[in-house]
Amino acid sequence: MGRILDIESGDEDEAVLVPPSNFSMVEEAIFRSSFPHPSNFAFLQTLNLRSIIYLCPEPYPHENLEFLQSQNIRLFQFGIEGKKENSSPVRTHSILEALKVLIDVRNHPVLIHCKQGKHRTGCLVGCLRKLQNWCLSSVFEEYQRFAGAKSRIIDLKFIETFDILILRQCLYSIIYQYQGYGSKKRRLLYKDESLKKPGLTSF
């Protein structure tokens, strides 16, 4: 998914689809990357995104918002500061809320990104892996593969100590239902309101 693709755009000319840096598939219909730029928009269109999870506190650029609106993509923003000394309680709450959006398949296909696609994105994906019962060494290896030389001990410690049991307060209120006879596709529905929308979208 992360390679550059060429498509024909005329008799002789070719248009290049450029993914954002650090782009990769996390799971089916879940992607991660650095901050997308206008040069990446054509590539993002091929993903048929329904949602974007943005992990930075800065406002989303107007040009990016226009692209999302034109593609009917919902934006979920969780303002996690990028500083190394980021407060653990604040980060824990934001990661928890982002996980609730991420595991709701109504929001798929979804792209997760921060600025570089390394630390904040790595923490969210790492906590998702813990929810998927990955061993900690595999979780750390994936984080370090994207963070590279800029791997942060504080992020690894956060992932290690993140308690996935706190997600139960969310999961207890959610039920999975199969839509249609014989369908294998799951949809995530709230117990009290089958079409209730998450309230953290920016528009």
PDB file of all heavy atoms in Angstrom, residues 105-106 176-179 183-188:
ATOM      1  N   VAL A 105     -16.303   0.375  13.383  1.00  0.00           N
ATOM      2  CA  VAL A 105     -16.134   0.103  11.957  1.00  0.00           C
ATOM      3  C   VAL A 105     -17.015   0.988  11.077  1.00  0.00           C
ATOM      4  O   VAL A 105     -16.827   1.030   9.864  1.00  0.00           O
ATOM      5  CB  VAL A 105     -16.397  -1.382  11.634  1.00  0.00           C
ATOM      6  CG1 VAL A 105     -15.384  -2.265  12.335  1.00  0.00           C
ATOM      7  CG2 VAL A 105     -17.827  -1.778  12.002  1.00  0.00           C
ATOM      8  N   ARG A 106     -17.959   1.704  11.679  1.00  0.00           N
ATOM      9  CA  ARG A 106     -18.724   2.679  10.887  1.00  0.00           C
ATOM     10  C   ARG A 106     -17.823   3.792  10.372  1.00  0.00           C
ATOM     11  O   ARG A 106     -18.173   4.480   9.412  1.00  0.00           O
ATOM     12  CB  ARG A 106     -19.845   3.289  11.737  1.00  0.00           C
ATOM     13  CG  ARG A 106     -20.932   2.322  12.139  1.00  0.00           C
ATOM     14  CD  ARG A 106     -21.898   2.965  13.121  1.00  0.00           C
ATOM     15  NE  ARG A 106     -21.222   3.391  14.338  1.00  0.00           N
ATOM     16  CZ  ARG A 106     -21.833   4.055  15.323  1.00  0.00           C
ATOM     17  NH1 ARG A 106     -23.107   4.392  15.214  1.00  0.00           N
ATOM     18  NH2 ARG A 106     -21.168   4.393  16.403  1.00  0.00           N
ATOM     19  N   TYR A 176     -22.149  -5.775  18.478  1.00  0.00           N
ATOM     20  CA  TYR A 176     -21.872  -6.042  17.072  1.00  0.00           C
ATOM     21  C   TYR A 176     -23.100  -6.714  16.466  1.00  0.00           C
ATOM     22  O   TYR A 176     -23.663  -7.622  17.057  1.00  0.00           O
ATOM     23  CB  TYR A 176     -20.669  -6.972  16.914  1.00  0.00           C
ATOM     24  CG  TYR A 176     -19.349  -6.325  17.217  1.00  0.00           C
ATOM     25  CD1 TYR A 176     -18.823  -6.352  18.508  1.00  0.00           C
ATOM     26  CD2 TYR A 176     -18.631  -5.682  16.221  1.00  0.00           C
ATOM     27  CE1 TYR A 176     -17.611  -5.767  18.793  1.00  0.00           C
ATOM     28  CE2 TYR A 176     -17.404  -5.099  16.498  1.00  0.00           C
ATOM     29  CZ  TYR A 176     -16.910  -5.154  17.783  1.00  0.00           C
ATOM     30  OH  TYR A 176     -15.695  -4.556  18.046  1.00  0.00           O
ATOM     31  N   GLN A 177     -23.495  -6.261  15.292  1.00  0.00           N
ATOM     32  CA  GLN A 177     -24.592  -6.865  14.571  1.00  0.00           C
ATOM     33  C   GLN A 177     -24.179  -7.116  13.134  1.00  0.00           C
ATOM     34  O   GLN A 177     -23.421  -6.346  12.554  1.00  0.00           O
ATOM     35  CB  GLN A 177     -25.839  -5.962  14.596  1.00  0.00           C
ATOM     36  CG  GLN A 177     -26.432  -5.799  15.987  1.00  0.00           C
ATOM     37  CD  GLN A 177     -27.719  -5.004  15.956  1.00  0.00           C
ATOM     38  OE1 GLN A 177     -28.175  -4.604  14.886  1.00  0.00           O
ATOM     39  NE2 GLN A 177     -28.301  -4.796  17.105  1.00  0.00           N
ATOM     40  N   TYR A 178     -24.686  -8.191  12.561  1.00  0.00           N
ATOM     41  CA  TYR A 178     -24.422  -8.496  11.163  1.00  0.00           C
ATOM     42  C   TYR A 178     -25.557  -7.942  10.326  1.00  0.00           C
ATOM     43  O   TYR A 178     -26.733  -8.191  10.605  1.00  0.00           O
ATOM     44  CB  TYR A 178     -24.295 -10.000  10.959  1.00  0.00           C
ATOM     45  CG  TYR A 178     -23.013 -10.548  11.503  1.00  0.00           C
ATOM     46  CD1 TYR A 178     -22.895 -10.892  12.851  1.00  0.00           C
ATOM     47  CD2 TYR A 178     -21.892 -10.692  10.699  1.00  0.00           C
ATOM     48  CE1 TYR A 178     -21.706 -11.377  13.356  1.00  0.00           C
ATOM     49  CE2 TYR A 178     -20.697 -11.174  11.194  1.00  0.00           C
ATOM     50  CZ  TYR A 178     -20.611 -11.518  12.525  1.00  0.00           C
ATOM     51  OH  TYR A 178     -19.430 -11.988  13.041  1.00  0.00           O
ATOM     52  N   GLN A 179     -25.219  -7.162   9.320  1.00  0.00           N
ATOM     53  CA  GLN A 179     -26.199  -6.487   8.486  1.00  0.00           C
ATOM     54  C   GLN A 179     -26.551  -7.358   7.279  1.00  0.00           C
ATOM     55  O   GLN A 179     -25.717  -7.611   6.422  1.00  0.00           O
ATOM     56  CB  GLN A 179     -25.651  -5.136   8.010  1.00  0.00           C
ATOM     57  CG  GLN A 179     -25.216  -4.239   9.145  1.00  0.00           C
ATOM     58  CD  GLN A 179     -26.348  -3.937  10.102  1.00  0.00           C
ATOM     59  OE1 GLN A 179     -27.401  -3.455   9.690  1.00  0.00           O
ATOM     60  NE2 GLN A 179     -26.143  -4.235  11.370  1.00  0.00           N
ATOM     61  N   SER A 183     -24.467 -11.975   5.549  1.00  0.00           N
ATOM     62  CA  SER A 183     -23.386 -11.019   5.388  1.00  0.00           C
ATOM     63  C   SER A 183     -22.306 -11.280   6.421  1.00  0.00           C
ATOM     64  O   SER A 183     -22.574 -11.571   7.572  1.00  0.00           O
ATOM     65  CB  SER A 183     -23.913  -9.585   5.543  1.00  0.00           C
ATOM     66  OG  SER A 183     -22.839  -8.665   5.554  1.00  0.00           O
ATOM     67  N   LYS A 184     -21.053 -11.150   6.000  1.00  0.00           N
ATOM     68  CA  LYS A 184     -19.929 -11.316   6.914  1.00  0.00           C
ATOM     69  C   LYS A 184     -19.395  -9.993   7.427  1.00  0.00           C
ATOM     70  O   LYS A 184     -18.472  -9.953   8.220  1.00  0.00           O
ATOM     71  CB  LYS A 184     -18.797 -12.077   6.216  1.00  0.00           C
ATOM     72  CG  LYS A 184     -19.155 -13.515   5.857  1.00  0.00           C
ATOM     73  CD  LYS A 184     -17.971 -14.223   5.223  1.00  0.00           C
ATOM     74  CE  LYS A 184     -18.308 -15.660   4.892  1.00  0.00           C
ATOM     75  NZ  LYS A 184     -17.164 -16.363   4.266  1.00  0.00           N
ATOM     76  N   LYS A 185     -19.959  -8.897   6.964  1.00  0.00           N
ATOM     77  CA  LYS A 185     -19.457  -7.581   7.361  1.00  0.00           C
ATOM     78  C   LYS A 185     -20.087  -7.150   8.670  1.00  0.00           C
ATOM     79  O   LYS A 185     -21.301  -7.090   8.807  1.00  0.00           O
ATOM     80  CB  LYS A 185     -19.753  -6.548   6.272  1.00  0.00           C
ATOM     81  CG  LYS A 185     -19.162  -5.180   6.571  1.00  0.00           C
ATOM     82  CD  LYS A 185     -19.407  -4.217   5.429  1.00  0.00           C
ATOM     83  CE  LYS A 185     -18.794  -2.855   5.721  1.00  0.00           C
ATOM     84  NZ  LYS A 185     -19.011  -1.900   4.621  1.00  0.00           N
ATOM     85  N   ARG A 186     -19.266  -6.806   9.649  1.00  0.00           N
ATOM     86  CA  ARG A 186     -19.758  -6.363  10.950  1.00  0.00           C
ATOM     87  C   ARG A 186     -19.973  -4.860  10.959  1.00  0.00           C
ATOM     88  O   ARG A 186     -19.245  -4.111  10.333  1.00  0.00           O
ATOM     89  CB  ARG A 186     -18.772  -6.722  12.071  1.00  0.00           C
ATOM     90  CG  ARG A 186     -18.621  -8.191  12.288  1.00  0.00           C
ATOM     91  CD  ARG A 186     -17.745  -8.449  13.485  1.00  0.00           C
ATOM     92  NE  ARG A 186     -16.431  -7.834  13.337  1.00  0.00           N
ATOM     93  CZ  ARG A 186     -15.484  -7.905  14.258  1.00  0.00           C
ATOM     94  NH1 ARG A 186     -15.701  -8.537  15.377  1.00  0.00           N
ATOM     95  NH2 ARG A 186     -14.318  -7.333  14.058  1.00  0.00           N
ATOM     96  N   ARG A 187     -20.965  -4.449  11.714  1.00  0.00           N
ATOM     97  CA  ARG A 187     -21.138  -3.037  11.984  1.00  0.00           C
ATOM     98  C   ARG A 187     -21.189  -2.853  13.485  1.00  0.00           C
ATOM     99  O   ARG A 187     -21.744  -3.673  14.208  1.00  0.00           O
ATOM    100  CB  ARG A 187     -22.422  -2.496  11.359  1.00  0.00           C
ATOM    101  CG  ARG A 187     -22.340  -2.398   9.849  1.00  0.00           C
ATOM    102  CD  ARG A 187     -23.370  -1.439   9.325  1.00  0.00           C
ATOM    103  NE  ARG A 187     -23.138  -0.104   9.847  1.00  0.00           N
ATOM    104  CZ  ARG A 187     -24.054   0.856   9.781  1.00  0.00           C
ATOM    105  NH1 ARG A 187     -25.222   0.634   9.242  1.00  0.00           N
ATOM    106  NH2 ARG A 187     -23.792   2.045  10.269  1.00  0.00           N
ATOM    107  N   LEU A 188     -20.639  -1.758  13.943  1.00  0.00           N
ATOM    108  CA  LEU A 188     -20.559  -1.477  15.363  1.00  0.00           C
ATOM    109  C   LEU A 188     -21.687  -0.534  15.727  1.00  0.00           C
ATOM    110  O   LEU A 188     -21.754   0.588  15.237  1.00  0.00           O
ATOM    111  CB  LEU A 188     -19.213  -0.822  15.670  1.00  0.00           C
ATOM    112  CG  LEU A 188     -18.682  -0.909  17.093  1.00  0.00           C
ATOM    113  CD1 LEU A 188     -18.480  -2.348  17.500  1.00  0.00           C
ATOM    114  CD2 LEU A 188     -17.378  -0.154  17.206  1.00  0.00           C
TER     115      LEU A 188
END
